[in-house]
Amino acid sequence: KRLREGALPSQPDTVDFWAEVSEFDRSVTAVDATLDELDTKIKLLAMANERIMGGDPAVLDNNLQAIRNELNALSELVEGNPARNEIYERTQPTVRSRLGFVLTGLGRSTYGPTQTHRDQLAIAKSEFATIRQRVSTLVGTTIPAFEADLVAAGAPWVPGGVIP
């Protein structure tokens, strides 16, 4: 409830917009956490790949590198380039930076979202749809197929994998 009337008219859909932002933030956070877990998983898969007893090592190495590349590309789309972020180099906006802009703007606003907040959220959501699909493919198809190839090549069990 407003404490006082301001110079600008109140936005009638402010609460709905906040709920939409909150739900989107939840999805982005889930993808971010999943990418962190996948980084750990890929390190474990790499160790298992080093210990294979059969199969074609070149093919498995190439497949593992392709998975790593996809994970790095997805992480960069969500969070940005870590090396550039570390030195605060100017980069293209990411899903996380656009969402951060919206969250910061709403946290300091008494009037509700501006058109810029709405635009940034729409852009972030449209970019995120592709990222989410790629993460789902990586988690649901690509990595399980690679794990099956490792098992067929005689690699040791990897934590989080199918129990033999």
Side-chain angles (χ1 to χ4, degrees):
K1 185 173 179 182
R2 292 180 143 229
L3 296 176
R4 63 184 179 280
E5 287 300 316
L8 298 175
S10 64
Q11 302 288 322
D13 66 338
T14 299
V15 174
D16 294 336
F17 187 79
W18 285 343
E20 181 183 0
V21 169
S22 178
E23 184 178 326
F24 182 61
D25 182 41
R26 185 171 175 250
S27 295
V28 172
T29 301
V31 163
D32 215 2
T34 300
L35 293 174
D36 286 343
E37 290 173 8
L38 287 178
D39 187 47
T40 302
K41 176 86 171 185
I42 288 171
K43 289 174 184 169
L44 294 171
L45 291 172
M47 287 192 304
N49 188 40
E50 293 170 0
R51 298 179 179 136
I52 60 172
M53 294 182 269
D56 186 352
V59 170
L60 292 171
D61 286 344
N62 290 338
N63 290 345
L64 180 62
Q65 189 58 46
I67 291 170
R68 260 193 205 116
N69 292 343
E70 177 69 357
L71 176 65
N72 291 337
L74 290 167
S75 293
E76 194 167 326
L77 289 171
V78 174
E79 291 289 338
N81 184 301
R84 289 182 175 185
N85 289 344
E86 191 170 314
I87 59 172
Y88 302 104
E89 184 175 321
R90 191 172 222 185
T91 60
Q92 290 295 100
T94 63
V95 169
R96 180 62 79 186
S97 69
R98 291 180 192 280
L99 179 59
F101 172 82
V102 173
L103 290 170
T104 301
L106 291 179
R108 296 180 179 164
S109 171
T110 58
Y111 294 106
T114 65
Q115 188 58 46
T116 303
H117 294 131
R118 294 175 194 280
D119 294 344
Q120 289 297 309
L121 182 63
I123 293 168
K125 286 177 97 172
S126 70
E127 291 173 351
F128 185 71
T130 303
I131 294 167
R132 186 178 186 171
Q133 180 58 45
R134 286 172 62 184
V135 169
S136 294
T137 300
L138 192 61
V139 170
T141 307
T142 309
I143 290 178
F146 182 70
E147 283 183 293
D149 292 344
L150 285 178
V151 168
W157 177 77
V158 175
V162 176
I163 297 174

